[in-house]
Amino acid sequence: MKHLQVAALQNGTVIDHIPADKLFKVFSILNLESCSETITVGNNLNSDTLGKKGIIKISDRFFEEDETNKIALIAPKAKINIIKEYEVVEKRPLELPEDVREIVQCPNPACITNHQPVKTYFHVLTEEGKNMLKCHYCEREVKLEEVKIR
């Protein structure tokens, strides 16, 4: 018999299949600590694909593309489920965008974005199955797992 590990949501967004060690990073980059809606967080839940996973449920909240881009940088295989009246009306896997703006800090201390009021701008590169970001200004490359979210 299958049972819910986390209570059902009437309306809102579920971020599922978050690797357990990335859950609080996703929570933080979405700035959910200042969210006034009801949030349910589950971590180290059993998962057939991940072993252990995290899940975040936010009542009456639906995410914009720039927010889901942030999630894709931290947990690219996470899923966004849109819930209306207890039914999943949309399931969407996250996809990395071609470009990332204003989300990631450039690791190059000499980059203009670290000294001037210039918004960060990275190109997403995929080489041999590995994802990297390349700064538009200084051309420094950084591995996705090493990025620092602003």
Side-chain angles (χ1 to χ4, degrees):
M1 181 169 99
K2 189 171 182 169
H3 67 281
L4 292 175
Q5 294 185 66
V6 180
L9 183 66
Q10 183 174 358
N11 294 299
T13 302
V14 176
I15 307 164
D16 200 359
H17 300 284
I18 305 167
D21 63 336
K22 306 284 188 198
L23 176 76
F24 293 105
K25 184 84 167 168
V26 170
F27 193 90
S28 177
I29 65 169
L30 292 175
N31 205 22
L32 293 177
E33 57 274 0
S34 63
C35 181
S36 60
E37 289 84 7
T38 301
I39 300 171
T40 303
V41 176
N43 201 19
N44 294 318
L45 303 172
N46 292 327
S47 167
D48 292 336
T49 55
L50 296 174
K52 296 288 183 181
K53 71 174 183 175
I55 187 170
I56 301 171
K57 294 183 174 194
I58 305 106
S59 294
D60 303 313
R61 173 90 186 268
F62 303 96
F63 291 89
E64 300 294 328
E65 185 178 345
D66 65 330
E67 293 172 297
T68 59
N69 287 350
K70 289 180 182 180
I71 298 167
L73 291 170
I74 301 303
K77 294 184 179 175
K79 305 248 182 313
I80 302 280
N81 297 317
I82 307 301
I83 312 294
K84 294 191 178 167
E85 295 303 322
Y86 298 104
E87 296 290 328
V88 176
V89 296
E90 181 184 352
K91 279 185 163 239
R92 58 180 142 128
L94 297 173
E95 295 181 19
L96 284 172
E98 290 181 16
D99 298 313
V100 177
R101 298 174 190 263
E102 301 179 53
I103 297 172
V104 176
Q105 180 176 340
C106 185
N108 180 359
C111 183
I112 190 171
T113 61
N114 290 317
H115 298 285
Q116 299 291 324
V118 176
K119 295 177 181 178
T120 62
Y121 176 24
F122 288 85
H123 305 284
V124 177
L125 309 173
T126 303
E127 295 174 12
E128 300 176 15
K130 302 254 186 211
N131 294 313
M132 305 270 296
L133 297 181
K134 182 177 181 178
C135 180
H136 179 76
Y137 302 104
C138 72
E139 299 189 347
R140 171 79 56 100
E141 291 184 6
V142 60
K143 294 176 185 173
L144 263 189
E145 55 272 6
E146 297 172 356
V147 299
K148 183 175 179 185
I149 303 294
R150 291 189 154 232

